[in-house]
Amino acid sequence: RQTDHIRIIGLIEAAADFAFEVLKPGGAFVVKAFQGGEMAGLIGVLKQRFAKVQHIKPKASRADSSEVYLAATGFKG
């Protein structure tokens, strides 16, 4: 599980790097993630580049699932 979490965070970071290159100011970035130790660092990076960062747990998600969505809006450019 720990290895999977690290790999998922790596993929999200790669997607975020791509978004930083192509998003226009005011743009948004949404990604599905799983809660874990590396999540705080990722949220910190997103907060530097976006005006607002939220983590959302959908009602449809099982209560015992670590699944969350990160929604970053207001890309600063």
Side-chain angles (χ1 to χ4, degrees), residues 1-30:
R1 282 189 154 183
Q2 182 64 21
T3 301
D4 286 345
H5 176 70
I6 292 170
R7 287 180 180 159
I8 290 167
I9 293 296
L11 289 171
I12 293 170
E13 288 172 342
D17 286 342
F18 176 74
F20 299 156
E21 291 181 24
V22 300
L23 278 178
K24 294 180 182 176
F29 177 72
V30 179

Side-chain angles (χ1 to χ4, degrees), residues 1 12 17 33 56 61-62 73:
R1 282 189 154 183
I12 293 170
D17 286 342
I56 303 160
S61 180
R62 293 186 322 267
T73 56

Side-chain angles (χ1 to χ4, degrees), residues 26-44:
F29 177 72
V30 179
V31 66
K32 178 180 176 178
F34 295 92
Q35 295 175 351
E38 304 297 318
M39 186 80 114
L42 174 61
I43 290 173

